[in-house]
Amino acid sequence: MTKPVLLLTRRFPDAVEARARESYVTIPNPSDVPMTGVQIVRAAAQAGVQGLFCAAGDPLNAETIAALPESVRIIATFSVGTDHIDLAAAAARGILVTNTPDVLSVATAEIAMLLILAAARRGGEAERMLRARQWVGWAPTQLMGVTLEGKRLGILGMGRIGQALARMARGFGMKVHYHNRNRLPPEEERGAYYHAQEDSFFSRIDVLSMHIPGGAATRHWLNAERIARLRPGSIVVNTGRGSTVDDAALCAALHTGHLRAAGLDVFDGEPRIFEGYHSAPNLVMLPHLGSATVETRDAMGLRCLDNLDAVLLRGEAPPHPVG
Ligand code: DGY
């Protein structure tokens, strides 16, 4: 059988690209420079691509999808998030979309825990001070943070990542609260306190960790009004999507001190960073590292290939369809 053609929009882990080459003719992107929509369409048309192996941030909007050649049957994204893909446009073209759930939950929860710790214990400020050669020695009141033990962690979006974070936070002696569309069954809730209403959630928590998807429905969910309802001295962490935070409002609350600190792994319009964040000492930032472990990125890639193989090699339904 002739091998189907795959367009790899980014450079993926070696083990993943090697497995892809076994079953497909691959069009790689060794430079790893993100492709524009026009470049994706042109490359797909030139090579008669059947599968798009893409990643978070690729501009698979309605315009790009409408212009894809007829040959494209599946868009397999190397991410759990799908806010970079216009799902309605793909459905209208009869193009399947798949993602990579489950395998990145622990890695992303680790980054959320890292940010919670760094924000509470002022890890970013401390590291910046050392690198600037400004440490003059130990002092009784230097860079005092707050301990996590006994604090209430509020998880917004108690899916797989939120639940993995809850397990880790309990190890630090935190009490877990959550706000979600639906209450979880007891075996998943594991004693976490469910808040059906935002008001009771906001009034009880010391740390807010955000795990909600991007897209129009959640744009700027954390706005000035909601930030004002958080208890003074709260900490905010976001490892979901940058678009869910109103940057100007978060930045203002960090500067006034209403928020003690924040930790961000994702940014609205990344890699662009809201200008005010650069001068917020009580903010610790990471460059979208949530799933960035060797184990997780390999697993994500293999999951993409499982989806592609089902559709393009066996003519079956993919194991991880979206929508
Ligand atoms: C995802 O999977 O959606 C992440 O943001 C990329 O690691």
Side-chain angles (χ1 to χ4, degrees):
M1 160 184 159
T2 341
K3 288 179 173 180
V5 185
L6 276 192
L7 173 62
L8 278 51
T9 62
R10 302 298 301 266
R11 186 160 66 78
F12 294 100
D14 289 346
V16 174
E17 294 210 2
R19 185 179 131 185
R21 283 192 299 272
E22 285 169 18
S23 311
Y24 301 93
V25 173
T26 60
I27 319 284
N29 176 4
S31 74
D32 203 28
V33 175
M35 297 173 79
T36 64
V38 170
Q39 288 169 331
I40 290 172
V41 169
R42 192 181 306 135
Q46 273 169 2
V49 159
Q50 280 121 324
L52 274 189
F53 190 145
C54 68
D58 282 337
L60 289 163
N61 49 33
E63 196 185 352
T64 305
I65 290 176
L68 287 172
E70 285 296 322
S71 56
V72 175
R73 293 170 51 202
I74 171 170
I75 298 173
T77 183
F78 182 86
S79 62
V80 69
T82 54
D83 53 315
H84 55 296
I85 304 173
D86 190 315
L87 298 177
R93 289 280 320 268
I95 299 173
L96 287 164
V97 177
T98 63
N99 70 346
T100 62
D102 301 326
V103 289
L104 43 67
S105 306
V106 167
T108 307
E110 284 175 352
I111 287 292
M113 200 66 229
L114 184 156
L115 287 173
I116 292 169
L117 280 163
R121 299 302 306 274
R122 305 178 67 173
E125 285 168 89
E127 225 258 347
R128 273 174 253 139
M129 182 180 77
L130 290 177
R131 286 190 185 276
R133 298 183 165 83
Q134 284 169 352
W135 191 36
V136 292
W138 188 89
T141 57
Q142 187 177 58
L143 285 177
M144 292 189 297
V146 285
T147 194
L148 293 179
E149 189 172 33
K151 296 290 187 310
R152 287 162 296 201
L153 169 64
I155 299 181
L156 176 72
M158 192 68 146
R160 299 177 190 96
I161 297 170
Q163 289 171 45
L165 175 64
R167 286 195 293 278
M168 293 174 195
R170 285 189 194 101
F172 284 86
M174 298 188 84
K175 299 187 178 78
V176 180
H177 291 238
Y178 72 102
H179 178 55
N180 213 30
R181 261 194 310 255
N182 301 310
R183 185 168 184 169
L184 300 181
E187 65 277 14
E188 287 176 20
E189 197 171 67
R190 293 171 190 243
Y193 193 91
Y194 176 60
H195 297 265
Q197 305 302 328
E198 266 180 39
D199 272 345
S200 78
F201 180 64
F202 281 131
S203 66
R204 296 291 296 282
I205 61 176
D206 303 297
V207 177
L208 170 67
S209 188
M210 298 177 57
H211 304 276
I212 52 175
T218 56
R219 181 152 187 80
H220 290 187
W221 184 91
L222 190 67
N223 55 19
E225 188 264 320
R226 285 194 172 99
I227 290 173
R229 284 196 271 148
L230 285 169
R231 289 147 54 92
S234 296
I235 289 171
V236 169
V237 162
N238 188 16
T239 52
R241 280 293 181 265
S243 60
T244 61
V245 171
D246 177 342
D247 291 324
L250 180 70
C251 200
L254 286 170
H255 281 291
T256 62
H258 174 64
L259 293 180
R260 176 183 301 281
L264 301 177
D265 185 45
V266 286
F267 301 88
D268 195 9
E270 60 188 48
R272 186 185 55 80
I273 304 282
F274 180 73
E275 194 49 42
Y277 286 160
H278 292 279
S279 56
N282 45 353
L283 171 66
V284 55
M285 299 190 278
L286 297 176
H288 203 147
L289 292 183
S291 61
T293 70
V294 173
E295 298 87 344
T296 300
R297 291 281 163 90
D298 279 353
M300 289 165 71
L302 299 182
R303 191 144 278 198
C304 280
L305 288 169
D306 290 344
N307 286 315
L308 289 158
D309 291 356
V311 175
L312 298 179
L313 302 184
R314 298 193 301 276
E316 294 171 3
H320 304 290
V322 177

